[in-house]
Amino acid sequence: MFMGTGSIQSIYTNAILGYNWKINASLSLMTMPGMVIAGFVGFHWTKHKLPIKMYIFSGFAAYVLNYVILYFMMVPDLSIDWFLLPQLLNGYGMCSLFIAIWLYGLNGIPQNDMLTSVGSVMVFRSFIATAFFSALFSWVQYALQWQSVNNLAFYFDAAIMNTYSQVGNFGQVQLGAILAANKTLLGYVIIAGLAFLTFIFFHQLGIFISSNSGYLGRALTEEETSAVATLSADALREQVGNWHIRESGEAYVLSKRANRLQVASSAARWGRKGARIVSISPGVISTPMSKKEQETSKQMAFMIQNTPVGRIGTPEDIANTVEFLISPAAGFISGTDILVDGGITTLLKGMN
């Protein structure tokens, strides 16, 4: 949506300011410092493991501030130097949100799957979505321009009735209509941007994905349970070193149980901030990784064949659960884990 808003700026620079292609190209170059800053900030943000939510917030904030400035500086005569700050913000917003897509949307996806997704994401983000909003904004701008002309119809009548010398001002009336339409459309975009900022600031973007493996394995002692539930990752790593874990499978089970316990212990803290926290423990889900495991793991094959619902899980099963958990219908669910496993965990625990 924000990238598509560039069509509004193009209408302003071409129709009102009369910039040629060379000057418009220089405007695009003004976004480069903002892109560099976004990359620098993104690097240090991830290096220090800061919440990705606020990095996304900074990108949207830069875009909104860019269009707030552009709204107030849309006048019939403007020096190109005034575009330095808004274009810097434009570049920062565009680059930071592009980085955030990969950090938030593709984090944790296997490399082979990620490579196949890159093309689709790039085409949709850079071409389809941008083209759609550019076309939509151009159509709305034209409709608003006609509305502005209609609102100024009395001016035409007065000019014709007064003297033919006023006819020369009709061009200025049209330029005024373009400015009015641009500002109206920018106002709607700014309102939408503020809505985005409000949503990002007050809502959590993270989902805890655990595993039904966290329900299996040996029972933890009271001391181990307390450590897993409350300690930070670094502190827990030091503690676990004394637990004599000998197999990677045991470490995996412990890490998934830690997700559940961390969620339970964090519910009160997040509740005071007006947020809920829930984990999801999937069973066997049809993914490229699980298909490879089916070929080598007898336990995986057993779980698939004996799942009570009679089928393997799908990514849609998890997505539907997430959709429910983040909806108002799940507003009273927090501090707990949701098993999405077709009933296999209960069966395995009974066998144990």
Side-chain angles (χ1 to χ4, degrees):
M1 181 187 74
F2 284 116
M3 291 182 67
T5 315
S7 62
I8 303 176
Q9 180 174 310
S10 297
I11 292 173
Y12 171 60
T13 57
N14 292 327
I16 304 299
L17 300 181
Y19 288 173
N20 56 30
W21 65 269
K22 187 174 182 180
I23 299 178
N24 281 318
S26 66
L27 290 178
S28 298
L29 291 176
M30 291 180 183
T31 63
M32 293 186 68
M35 295 181 181
V36 174
I37 294 173
F40 180 81
V41 172
F43 171 77
H44 286 277
W45 208 284
T46 54
K47 179 180 179 181
H48 296 286
K49 299 180 179 179
L50 298 175
I52 187 64
K53 165 185 170 179
M54 296 312 297
Y55 184 59
I56 296 174
F57 183 88
S58 72
F60 276 113
Y63 259 134
V64 172
L65 184 57
N66 163 41
Y67 289 114
V68 169
I69 295 175
L70 190 61
Y71 178 92
F72 287 105
M73 60 186 262
M74 272 198 176
V75 294
D77 188 19
L78 186 72
S79 170
I80 191 173
D81 295 335
W82 284 94
F83 283 97
L84 287 172
L85 178 58
Q87 287 298 89
L88 184 145
L89 293 170
N90 188 18
Y92 178 89
M94 178 170 56
C95 189
S96 61
L97 292 179
F98 189 75
I99 293 172
I101 287 175
W102 305 114
L103 291 178
Y104 182 68
L106 299 179
N107 185 35
I109 297 178
Q111 186 173 8
N112 290 337
D113 295 340
M114 183 185 298
L115 291 176
T116 59
S117 303
V118 168
S120 300
V121 173
M122 288 286 291
V123 169
F124 180 81
R125 174 195 177 276
S126 301
F127 299 102
I128 298 177
T130 303
F132 170 78
F133 279 104
S134 295
L136 176 64
F137 289 154
S138 296
W139 178 81
V140 173
Q141 199 276 345
Y142 187 73
L144 290 173
Q145 187 180 148
W146 268 109
Q147 182 63 48
S148 298
V149 171
N150 290 334
N151 292 339
L152 292 170
F154 72 92
Y155 181 88
F156 286 87
D157 294 338
I160 293 174
M161 293 174 63
N162 185 15
T163 173
Y164 287 105
S165 64
Q166 296 294 324
V167 174
N169 291 332
F170 288 172
Q172 295 299 321
V173 171
Q174 184 177 7
L175 293 181
I178 295 174
L179 283 175
N182 277 359
K183 288 201 170 190
T184 301
L185 188 51
L186 275 179
Y188 289 135
V189 172
I190 292 168
I191 292 173
L194 292 176
F196 274 117
L197 291 176
T198 302
F199 176 83
I200 294 171
F201 189 79
F202 288 103
H203 288 73
Q204 298 305 311
L205 303 180
I207 297 292
F208 274 86
I209 298 295
S210 187
S211 168
N212 67 331
S213 301
Y215 286 85
L216 306 175
R218 70 175 180 85
L220 298 179
T221 65
E222 184 177 342
E223 180 182 353
E224 290 172 340
T225 299
S226 176
V228 168
T230 59
L231 294 181
S232 65
D234 293 333
L236 184 59
R237 191 178 295 112
E238 296 179 4
Q239 288 271 352
V240 171
N242 300 322
W243 292 0
H244 305 293
I245 297 175
R246 292 175 292 275
E247 297 180 359
S248 60
E250 186 179 357
Y252 178 80
V253 170
L254 180 62
S255 69
K256 297 306 180 182
R257 190 175 301 177
N259 276 358
R260 290 172 44 218
L261 296 174
Q262 288 271 349
V263 165
S265 66
S266 302
R269 176 165 54 88
W270 284 106
R272 289 191 292 269
K273 299 179 180 180
R276 298 181 295 110
I277 181 168
V278 182
S279 62
I280 297 174
S281 291
V284 182
I285 306 298
S286 179
T287 64
M289 184 176 71
S290 69
K291 290 177 182 177
K292 292 180 181 178
E293 287 184 301
Q294 294 174 36
E295 300 172 358
T296 58
S297 173
K298 293 182 179 180
Q299 182 182 7
M300 180 71 75
F302 174 85
M303 292 172 65
I304 294 173
Q305 294 170 5
N306 293 275
T307 297
V309 299
R311 67 173 177 86
I312 191 172
T314 65
E316 287 75 16
D317 291 322
I318 306 303
N320 292 336
T321 305
V322 172
E323 182 180 18
F324 166 70
L325 290 174
I326 63 176
S327 72
F332 204 57
I333 299 177
S334 187
T336 190
D337 181 77
I338 306 296
L339 262 173
V340 187
D341 68 339
I344 188 63
T345 302
T346 302
L347 179 65
L348 292 176
K349 290 176 70 175
M351 293 176 61
N352 290 337

